[in-house]
Amino acid sequence: MSKERIANTWGEIANFLSLGPFEMAPTKQLAPYIIIMTVMVVLAKFVFGEECKVFYWLTVGFEILGLFASCMIIRDLFCTDLAHPIWEKAIHNGCELFLNGHQAWLYYDTEFFYRLGRYIGHGLCYEASALMMMLLRHDFQTRLVFGRCYSSTENRMVLHAWVEVKHLGVWWVVDSTWINAAPVLKAVYYIGNAVIVDRKISNREFWTSQIAREFYQSIKKPETSYLFHNLIYFRRATKSDKGVYMVRECCWDDADGLGAYGARNMVFNMLDAFSSKVVVSQRIINEFLRDKHCMRPKAHTVRKAKKALRELRIAREKYYASQKAS
């Protein structure tokens, strides 16, 4: 049996038992255990009496499940307090850095990457993780991790990326697309998501890239921060037979850097970077950031974006034709 098959089987078990970190509202996940346990106690004791052994043992079983769930909630609340300095630094730095004219932290606070990923049709975990590496650059030992995890929504192993941060002598996971909460212990994350690690990119390795350093310098100012589409250079390369590489490592010469990218008038330069069918323009980004419940941009915004993309492609074709003619 392959490693991925074993991980997928364990992922199904872990998902069934809710072994992963509780997200957002832990009491809502605990509620079913408490309700069922209460009903079973009432039925066993006051309706069927002690003679009904089936209900007696079911009651004991649900009491164990309730205690198990309570322990996990206590574990997560305890970890949340310990990991608070990581989250605090990410918020502080995210308010001082920018992306496409907006404070970088707004992208995490509004679950922007998750929602835009649903609209595009694929996840943006690589982009979210690369930006998080930049938010925590000077404060912690970090690493960008490429791997495979069990997805409870797709019921299978999927490619994924996250950031690991060393704090208090142990590693914590910041996964801002799957877990919109404080960092969780690496062991808890790995067990709950049946993780298979493909590559760990250390902080030093990440920042040896000229593109990463220039990107970081550009997002210090709103007017030079229009680099959202350029986050694709930190994605996992899909057509590489050399291993798990970032796009920039396979398709980009670091010596060239980012050049003039980042200025407001260059925003459409990478307009069709994420999808050949779904367009992401600056106006679409603005709409998703303005309304944290937005799952799709307005129809007229999409029409304008597609028109701009067509004009850009025509301009590119004319430019290349003129270059060949000369």
Side-chain angles (χ1 to χ4, degrees):
M1 187 179 286
S2 68
K3 183 192 292 187
E4 188 161 324
R5 211 168 185 183
I6 295 172
N8 188 77
T9 302
W10 172 250
E12 292 175 350
I13 295 171
N15 182 58
F16 177 75
L17 295 175
S18 298
L19 292 181
F22 284 92
E23 184 179 357
M24 298 300 290
T27 51
K28 290 183 179 180
Q29 295 193 34
L30 181 61
Y33 293 117
I34 296 175
I35 294 171
I36 295 174
M37 184 178 66
T38 303
V39 171
M40 297 307 296
V41 169
V42 172
L43 288 175
K45 189 171 183 179
F46 297 104
V47 179
F48 296 99
E50 296 181 358
E51 296 180 359
C52 186
K53 298 297 181 181
V54 174
F55 278 95
Y56 173 78
W57 287 112
L58 283 174
T59 302
V60 172
F62 280 113
E63 285 177 347
I64 294 172
L65 287 174
L67 180 62
F68 178 63
S70 300
C71 289
M72 288 194 292
I73 286 179
I74 294 171
R75 172 204 70 188
D76 291 331
L77 292 175
F78 181 67
C79 289
T80 298
D81 288 338
L82 290 178
H84 182 68
I86 301 175
W87 212 233
E88 195 174 49
K89 276 293 181 183
I91 295 172
H92 177 268
N93 296 340
C95 292
E96 294 190 342
L97 298 174
F98 302 87
L99 187 62
N100 282 47
H102 300 275
Q103 287 183 323
W105 180 248
L106 190 60
Y107 288 81
Y108 299 101
D109 191 42
T110 62
E111 297 183 32
F112 171 88
F113 290 105
Y114 168 75
R115 292 182 293 114
L116 187 67
R118 292 289 297 270
Y119 167 64
I120 294 173
H122 62 77
L124 294 171
C125 56
Y126 297 97
E127 290 78 5
S129 299
L131 184 60
M132 183 59 69
M133 287 287 287
M134 297 179 192
L135 264 58
L136 298 174
R137 180 181 185 182
H138 297 296
D139 301 294
F140 299 94
Q141 181 181 345
T142 58
R143 60 193 182 200
L144 177 62
V145 184
F146 291 170
R148 286 161 284 169
C149 301
Y150 180 81
S151 169
S152 57
T153 55
E154 297 189 31
N155 297 316
R156 64 183 179 88
M157 298 293 288
V158 297
L159 298 177
H160 195 45
W162 59 92
V163 173
E164 293 183 0
V165 184
K166 197 167 189 180
H167 174 57
L168 300 176
V170 295
W171 287 97
W172 301 76
V173 171
V174 179
D175 184 348
S176 45
T177 52
W178 279 18
I179 304 172
N180 186 38
V184 297
L185 281 169
K186 174 185 166 184
V188 174
Y189 184 85
Y190 276 40
I191 291 172
N193 293 292
V195 170
I196 298 176
V197 174
D198 293 325
R199 182 186 177 188
K200 293 182 179 180
I201 304 169
S202 68
N203 192 62
R204 182 177 180 180
E205 184 181 0
F206 182 86
W207 291 107
T208 53
S209 162
Q210 182 179 343
I211 290 177
R213 295 194 303 271
E214 289 188 5
F215 197 110
Y216 181 76
Q217 291 301 319
S218 296
I219 63 175
K220 287 183 176 180
K221 298 178 181 179
E223 60 270 19
T224 59
S225 68
Y226 291 86
L227 291 167
F228 179 79
H229 291 81
N230 297 88
L231 283 171
I232 63 164
Y233 295 128
F234 302 100
R235 288 189 69 86
R236 184 197 298 237
T238 55
K239 296 182 179 179
S240 172
D241 57 356
K242 300 176 183 178
V244 183
Y245 285 79
M246 286 184 279
V247 170
R248 69 165 183 80
E249 294 172 315
C250 298
C251 312
W252 194 270
D253 182 2
D254 259 10
D256 293 337
L258 288 173
Y261 295 156
R264 176 65 181 86
N265 59 357
M266 296 293 292
V267 69
F268 288 110
N269 201 51
M270 298 291 292
L271 188 64
D272 52 349
F274 293 106
S275 172
S276 59
K277 297 180 180 179
V278 182
V279 184
V280 179
S281 67
Q282 177 63 35
R283 189 164 178 174
I284 289 174
I285 292 173
N286 293 342
E287 285 187 11
F288 272 84
L289 288 173
R290 251 193 326 264
D291 181 6
K292 64 180 181 180
H293 300 295
C294 174
M295 299 302 291
R296 294 187 64 83
K298 297 174 183 176
H300 70 272
T301 304
V302 175
R303 287 195 297 270
K304 287 182 177 180
K306 288 182 176 179
K307 181 182 178 182
L309 180 57
R310 285 195 298 270
E311 291 174 351
L312 173 61
R313 286 174 175 165
I314 292 171
R316 281 178 179 173
E317 290 171 3
K318 288 181 178 179
Y319 172 77
Y320 293 136
S322 65
Q323 289 293 103
K324 287 182 180 179
S326 60

